[in-house]
């Protein structure tokens, strides 16, 4: 391991989802334990617990359940973030509880993930939850999906059972247009095909899960993505300097590029790309930089910079998918705040166009939107906003909805624009 | 989804968080504890607002029990970078002689650190406070948000946290509430050291190994010596051991670990192969299964 220490490694962010008792926490425990990312003192702590509770097997799930209430109740309540590294790559896991009422946690976990890892119990087979998890991965535009068919030890490591389940999972994925799907048979409990191959799944010609996680591509073709730069701050340390600070949401930019400011439509050219480590000739997603322009034009926090030939749509009415995250249902016609990029503005939801039935993968008519439900709604904003479709712009096509009274985050939103005619 | 490697991605994410806070809060402050994470957080802040200066003050919650080397480093480092540092102490508790030997570590921390922090935030009416805590450090911190909303008593309610999807942070708070912001949430101990190495960031010298006089207390090496206030219990033997501090806290409650590392590279090698977690030497975390969660609920960061 020591050789690669000083080298900066690739980073893979993935989320895990599973139903109650399908062994998700055990799998994460296994990945951490077998990749030697669990420390002795942490291991000793859960061994002490096993002894106290007089259990004969150490419960690897206890490595991930951080809150006292979780350990008491033996369930995962909230998204937990775990970190591990191998000589090839660093990993951030967003571990989300799998119960239906926690859809909001899964949306949160998937929103920042490059890969979604979904568990299916080999004995129980494909459940409603499985469809739900696959549909959420697709909805959140997670690039890669891995389905682990777990507890293979309970079905005698049967190839026939695995093939049967694979076919069913593949069928659902096709229906959802999930492109990058991988299915792996594992036993998290016994450790088969997780980090080591083991010798009980010899019929499987694919690679163990960790190998796959270490090699799945995390680079997306940058040229396919248009440059988006939400302005967070206008930096004016002295009368000479006026720079726009932000993080590049997608694509890349270089000195001299013609840019347009949205929603105003004013244009200029990139003069400098400034960083503490020196000026850059070009910058790309997801760098945080400060851009100066050739002309003095009116730009403030919340505006969006884009290349002049890759303009976003600009409108005050649009459609979006909303995942409702509050116990208070959504009210049509009520004013909410949204935060989109660096812009906070008021909106109203005009109409619910349909509710997404994740378990059956279809849209149903609906007139309300409650906790953990997902619906397509029509949004009207105070003033026009630059708009990107979420499926093509994961960083600028999303927003959160805030209730002005409670100040709570009540929904996650994804802009959906009509497909452009090419 | 990028060809930026881990450290550059984490750097960009942290800078984004700091800029959001400065844009959306009236009176932010950066908690500065003199440790390695604070040093990294401070460098990231310099990057975030370059070519401008830091748009907020730093605040050190001083318990009076820090190592001499920490105070020396703090004063020199702050002078070098020209930052505005507020030093806040819970003077009433210090005057009353608060110490861990008589009160126990939990009570001592509650008075000098948690109450000290809450007092400092209140005195200056800060509505957002950056802290260098990382999710990897400890299991209750693994459940923290980047923006951790606290009530008027600074308390954390882990079961009632706002969802935080994407990189969209909700800065709307009610009067009396404040947020603790953790821009280093996704950094690991190894990331911190690698960043210190590539960025050449100054750190307190006691992170490096040297021979020290210590007593071995339940496997934790507690330093003793002239300028240290450690009480030696009956039956304890003073030994000379080559050791270093893996994380820094108050003298009576921070143990050293045996180490040969005298450079940042050597520290990274030790950390990567370490079989014990980073806070193993922090006496304050070991008092119960949920010590940190309890402290956070009471207002610790």
């Amino acid at each position: 391991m020591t050789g690669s220490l000083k080298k900066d490694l690739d980073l893979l962010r993935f989320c895990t989802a599973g139903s109650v008792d399908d062994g998700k926490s055990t799998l994460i425990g296994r990945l951490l334990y077998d990749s030697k990312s669990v420390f002795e003192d942490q291991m000793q702590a859960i061994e002490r617990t096993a002894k106290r509770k007089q259990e004969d097997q150490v419960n690897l799930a206890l490595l991930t359940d951080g809150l006292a209430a979780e350990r008491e109740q033996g369930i995962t309540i909230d998204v937990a973030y775990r970190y591990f590294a191998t000589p090839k790559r660093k990993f951030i896991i967003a571990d989300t509880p799998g119960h239906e009422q926690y859809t909001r946690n899964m949306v949160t976990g998937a929103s920042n993930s490059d890969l979604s890892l979904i568990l299916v119990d080999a004995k129980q087979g494909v459940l409603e939850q499985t469809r739900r998890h696959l549909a959420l991965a697709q909805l959140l535009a997670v690039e890669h999906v891995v389905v682990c068919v777990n507890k293979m030890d309970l079905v005698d490591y049967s190839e026939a059972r695995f093939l049967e389940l694979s076919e069913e999972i593949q069928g659902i994925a096709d229906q959802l247009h999930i492109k990058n799907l991988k299915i792996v048979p594992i036993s998290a409990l016994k450790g088969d095909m997780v980090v080591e191959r083991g010798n009980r799944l010899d019929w499987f010609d694919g690679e163990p899960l960790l190998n796959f996680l270490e090699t799945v591509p995390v680079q997306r073709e940058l040229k396919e993505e248009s440059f988006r730069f939400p302005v967070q701050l206008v930096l004016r340390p002295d009368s000479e300097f006026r720079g726009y600070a932000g993080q590049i949401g997608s694509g890349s930019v270089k000195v001299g590029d013609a840019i347009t400011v949205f929603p105003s439509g004013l244009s200029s050219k990139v003069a400098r790309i400034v960083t503490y480590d020196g000026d850059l000739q070009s910058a790309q997603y997801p760098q945080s930089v400060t851009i100066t322009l050739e002309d003095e034009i009116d730009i403030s926090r919340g505006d969006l910079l884009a290349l002049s030939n890759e303009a976003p749509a600009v409108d005050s009415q649009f459609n979006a998918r909303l995942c409702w995250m509050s116990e208070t249902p959504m009210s049509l016609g009520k004013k909410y705040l949204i935060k989109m990029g660096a812009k906070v503005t008021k909106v109203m939801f005009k109409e619910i166009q349909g509710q997404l039935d994740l378990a059956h993968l279809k849209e149903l008519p609906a007139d309300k939107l409650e906790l953990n439900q997902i619906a397509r709604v029509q949004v009207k904003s105070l003033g026009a906003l630059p708009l990107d479709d979420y499926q093509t712009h994961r960083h600028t096509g999303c927003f959160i909805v805030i209730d002005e009274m409670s100040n709570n985050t009540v929904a996650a939103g994804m802009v959906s624009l009509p497909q452009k005619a090419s | 989804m990028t060809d930026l490697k881990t450290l550059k991605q984490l750097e960009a994410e942290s800078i984004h968080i700091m800029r959001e806070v400065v844009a959306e809060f009236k009176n932010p402050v950066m908690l500065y504890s003199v440790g390695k994470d604070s040093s990294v957080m401070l460098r990231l802040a310099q990057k975030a607002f370059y070519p401008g200066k830091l748009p907020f003050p730093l605040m050190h919650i001083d318990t009076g029990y820090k190592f001499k080397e920490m105070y020396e480093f703090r004063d020199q480092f702050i002078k070098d970078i020209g930052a505005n540092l507020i030093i806040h102490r819970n003077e009433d508790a210090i005057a009353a002689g608060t110490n861990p030997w008589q009160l126990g570590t939990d009570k001592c921390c509650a008075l000098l650190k948690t109450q000290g922090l809450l007092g400092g935030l209140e005195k200056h009416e800060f509505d957002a406070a950056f802290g260098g805590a990382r999710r990897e450090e400890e299991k209750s911190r693994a459940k923290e948000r980047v923006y951790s909303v606290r009530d008027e008593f600074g308390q954390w309610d882990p079961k009632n946290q706002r969802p935080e999807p994407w990189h969209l942070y909700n800065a709307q708070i009610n009067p009396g509430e404040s947020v603790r912001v953790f821009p280093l949430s996704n950094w690991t101990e190894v990331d911190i050291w690698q960043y210190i190495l590539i960025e050449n960031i100054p750190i307190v010298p006691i992170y490096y190994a040297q021979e020290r006089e210590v007593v071995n207390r339940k496997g934790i090496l507690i330093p003793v010596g002239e300028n240290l206030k450690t009480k030696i219990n009956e039956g304890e033997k003073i030994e000379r051991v080559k050791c270093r501090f893996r994380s820094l806290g108050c003298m009576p409650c921070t143990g050293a670990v045996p180490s040969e590392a005298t450079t940042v590279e050597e520290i990274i090698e030790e950390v990567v192969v370490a079989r014990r977690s980073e806070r193993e030497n922090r006496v304050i975390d070991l008092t119960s299964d949920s010590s940190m969660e309890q402290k956070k609920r009471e207002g610790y960061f």
Side-chain angles (χ1 to χ4, degrees):
Chain A
M1 188 139 190
T2 334
S4 58
L5 289 190
K6 285 151 216 159
K7 219 173 79 191
D8 197 2
L9 300 172
D10 278 333
L11 176 65
L12 181 76
R13 297 179 197 238
F14 69 97
C15 58
T16 55
S19 311
V20 184
D21 295 333
D22 57 13
K24 178 173 59 69
S25 295
T26 311
L27 173 63
I28 294 176
R30 176 61 66 187
L31 278 172
L32 298 175
Y33 185 74
D34 283 5
S35 66
K36 304 195 169 44
S37 310
V38 178
F39 296 115
E40 278 170 17
D41 47 325
Q42 293 170 332
M43 202 61 202
Q44 283 159 2
I46 65 167
E47 279 164 4
R48 275 200 301 275
T49 306
K51 221 174 196 176
R52 201 175 61 226
K53 292 188 174 169
Q54 299 183 325
E55 292 163 349
D56 25 335
Q57 199 156 23
V58 169
N59 184 357
L60 291 174
L62 290 177
L63 287 173
T64 59
D65 291 335
L67 300 175
E70 294 177 318
R71 290 191 297 276
E72 281 155 19
Q73 297 168 37
I75 54 159
T76 313
I77 292 172
D78 198 12
V79 185
Y81 296 89
R82 308 288 313 187
Y83 302 80
F84 75 104
T86 69
K88 294 194 180 126
R89 206 170 251 190
K90 291 184 179 178
F91 300 91
I92 301 178
I93 313 175
D95 180 18
T96 66
H99 339 293
E100 182 183 2
Q101 65 267 39
Y102 288 116
T103 303
R104 70 174 216 172
N105 287 324
M106 292 175 43
V107 167
T108 303
S111 69
N112 287 321
S113 293
D114 309 316
L115 179 146
S116 175
L117 193 157
I118 296 168
L119 277 119
V120 170
D121 183 324
K123 203 159 184 181
Q124 302 234 15
V126 173
L127 304 175
E128 248 188 50
Q129 288 282 7
T130 317
R131 295 171 191 276
R132 229 184 279 275
H133 297 157
L134 283 164
L136 279 174
Q138 192 278 332
L139 185 75
L140 272 291
V142 181
E143 181 97 346
H144 300 274
V145 177
V146 185
V147 178
C148 289
V149 177
N150 190 24
K151 304 197 183 177
M152 287 301 291
D153 50 308
L154 296 185
V155 295
D156 297 327
Y157 298 96
S158 157
E159 182 179 13
R161 177 61 175 158
F162 175 71
L163 291 177
E164 181 192 348
L165 290 173
S166 294
E167 198 174 325
E168 196 178 348
I169 295 160
Q170 186 68 56
I172 302 167
D174 289 346
Q175 208 183 332
L176 287 163
H177 308 288
I178 291 175
K179 280 185 273 239
N180 301 318
L181 174 75
K182 180 94 182 169
I183 308 173
V184 188
I186 64 165
S187 165
L189 189 68
K190 309 283 182 195
D192 299 294
M193 212 54 81
V194 180
V195 173
E196 311 287 341
R197 282 193 70 85
N199 52 18
R200 290 173 285 222
L201 289 163
D202 283 341
W203 47 262
F204 181 66
D205 58 6
E207 57 195 335
L209 176 64
L210 184 63
N211 277 24
F212 179 72
L213 296 177
E214 284 181 327
T215 51
V216 62
V218 286
Q219 267 136 288
R220 191 150 56 178
E221 281 292 314
L222 287 167
K223 59 177 184 287
E224 290 174 9
E225 296 199 341
S226 31
F227 171 66
R228 296 290 186 261
F229 187 78
V231 175
Q232 292 184 268
L233 277 177
V234 182
L235 293 180
R236 272 174 304 185
D238 54 57
S239 58
E240 300 290 295
F241 189 91
R242 186 184 174 88
Y244 306 101
Q247 182 174 18
I248 298 173
S250 58
S252 61
V253 68
K254 56 185 191 303
V255 172
D257 278 348
I259 60 103
T260 302
V261 184
F262 293 93
S264 73
L266 297 169
S267 301
S268 184
K269 279 186 175 161
V270 174
R272 292 172 61 195
I273 302 169
V274 178
T275 77
Y276 176 92
D277 302 298
D279 276 19
L280 305 174
Q281 278 308 301
S282 67
Q284 61 172 57
Y285 165 77
Q287 281 176 291
S288 284
V289 296
T290 297
I291 291 176
T292 69
L293 300 178
E294 287 184 1
D295 311 282
E296 272 203 25
I297 51 176
D298 182 19
I299 300 176
S300 47
R301 172 174 164 85
D303 288 347
L304 182 81
L305 306 189
L307 294 188
S308 300
N309 57 1
E310 299 172 338
V314 179
D315 209 332
S316 60
Q317 295 228 35
F318 56 97
N319 289 340
R321 289 238 159 88
L322 285 188
C323 172
W324 202 254
M325 295 173 154
S326 164
E327 277 161 20
T328 313
M330 189 253 265
S331 296
L332 284 177
K334 176 182 159 167
K335 288 190 189 72
Y336 290 95
L337 290 177
I338 63 166
K339 185 172 187 184
M340 181 188 275
K343 175 108 181 162
V344 177
T345 190
K346 284 187 183 179
V347 300
M348 244 193 281
F349 302 114
K350 306 269 287 179
E351 188 193 341
I352 300 174
Q353 292 160 323
Q355 192 191 312
L356 204 61
D357 177 356
L358 287 175
H360 303 95
L361 313 178
K362 57 185 182 197
E363 205 170 86
L364 305 169
D367 54 8
K368 57 181 183 187
L369 180 55
E370 296 178 337
L371 179 64
N372 292 312
Q373 292 181 338
I374 295 170
R376 201 155 49 85
V377 299
Q378 196 185 47
V379 189
K380 174 147 181 34
S381 62
L382 179 77
L385 295 172
L387 299 166
D388 281 318
D389 187 273
Y390 178 74
Q391 290 291 327
T392 53
H393 287 83
R394 261 187 110 189
H395 289 258
T396 43
C398 54
F399 57 93
I400 54 171
V401 181
I402 300 164
D403 185 296
E404 274 193 290
M405 289 301 292
S406 68
N407 284 331
N408 280 331
T409 305
V410 294
M414 289 151 278
V415 175
S416 75
L417 296 181
Q419 298 268 322
K420 263 185 212 159
S422 49
Chain B
M1 303 297 176
T2 167
D3 56 10
L4 251 57
K5 307 277 185 194
T6 306
L7 294 177
K8 286 289 159 190
Q9 281 192 50
L10 293 173
E11 176 188 82
E13 178 180 286
S14 302
I15 289 174
H16 172 257
I17 293 164
M18 291 179 183
R19 288 169 169 174
E20 281 302 286
V21 171
V22 165
E24 294 200 298
F25 288 89
K26 287 192 207 86
N27 194 16
V29 65
M30 179 167 279
L31 300 174
Y32 176 70
S33 75
V34 201
K36 63 185 191 308
D37 303 311
S38 284
S39 291
V40 167
M41 186 163 64
L42 207 42
R43 171 62 55 88
L44 292 165
Q46 291 176 303
K47 292 195 177 196
F49 305 102
Y50 178 85
K53 291 204 175 97
L54 291 189
F56 40 71
L58 311 178
M59 182 163 71
H60 180 213
I61 304 302
D62 183 23
T63 60
Y65 286 112
K66 304 296 175 188
F67 293 85
K68 175 174 66 82
E69 291 87 343
M70 291 171 75
Y71 293 115
E72 287 168 0
F73 177 86
R74 178 191 72 188
D75 296 340
Q76 186 60 46
F77 184 58
I78 295 301
K79 206 173 118 195
D80 290 347
I81 64 167
N84 168 18
L85 176 72
I86 298 166
I87 297 168
H88 186 87
R89 294 151 52 107
N90 184 353
E91 295 293 357
D92 292 346
I94 291 172
T98 301
N99 69 67
W101 307 290
Q102 285 167 319
L103 297 177
T105 54
D106 286 352
K107 191 91 186 267
C108 185
C109 273
L111 285 165
L112 296 184
K113 290 167 86 172
T114 306
Q115 290 309 315
L117 171 60
L118 294 174
L121 294 175
E122 196 177 341
K123 181 177 171 192
H124 300 278
E125 298 181 351
F126 293 122
D127 55 356
F130 292 105
R134 293 176 282 107
R135 287 171 175 157
E136 180 217 35
E137 271 180 284
E138 199 278 335
K139 55 187 182 285
S140 66
R141 284 188 168 158
K143 306 252 156 170
E144 259 291 12
R145 300 294 186 264
V146 171
Y147 278 29
S148 179
V149 180
R150 304 301 176 94
D151 66 13
E152 51 196 319
F153 303 103
Q155 296 184 93
W156 183 55
D157 181 359
K159 279 199 265 186
N160 192 21
Q161 300 193 79
R162 291 173 177 176
E164 203 169 65
W166 297 291
H167 297 94
L168 296 169
Y169 306 108
N170 177 356
Q172 311 293 319
I173 52 171
N174 299 311
E177 288 179 342
S178 62
V179 296
R180 306 288 163 81
V181 180
F182 301 112
L184 304 181
S185 285
N186 285 324
W187 294 63
T188 65
E189 187 187 10
V190 174
D191 296 330
I192 292 287
W193 282 114
Q194 287 182 321
Y195 197 70
I196 287 170
L197 179 68
I198 63 168
E199 292 281 324
N200 202 14
I201 295 173
I203 50 162
V204 186
I206 55 177
Y207 278 117
Y208 298 115
Q210 64 175 77
E211 281 208 354
R212 291 181 174 86
E213 294 200 330
V214 296
V215 293
N216 190 328
R217 201 167 279 169
K218 291 179 194 161
I220 297 176
L221 304 176
I222 303 287
V224 294
E226 252 172 64
N227 61 44
L228 305 176
K229 297 173 184 171
T230 312
K231 298 237 164 99
I232 297 160
N233 299 328
E234 220 172 296
E236 281 180 337
K237 203 173 82 225
I238 298 175
E239 306 166 66
R240 280 191 78 79
V241 179
K242 191 163 188 190
C243 56
R244 71 175 203 90
F245 295 94
R246 204 167 156 193
S247 70
L248 296 183
C250 295
M251 284 181 302
C253 300
T254 302
V257 291
S259 167
E260 296 291 327
T262 54
T263 63
V264 175
E265 286 94 331
E266 286 168 3
I267 290 176
I268 296 174
E269 304 217 353
E270 282 193 4
V271 168
V272 168
V273 298
R275 298 304 303 138
R276 302 186 70 84
S277 72
E278 182 180 1
R279 296 186 68 93
E280 60 160 328
N281 62 330
R282 299 293 280 271
V283 180
I284 58 171
D285 290 355
L286 303 177
T287 48
S288 88
D289 220 13
S290 20
S291 319
M292 178 65 87
E293 182 178 343
Q294 195 53 39
K295 280 196 186 65
K296 285 169 67 65
R297 281 171 176 275
E298 287 160 8
Y300 194 54
F301 76 93

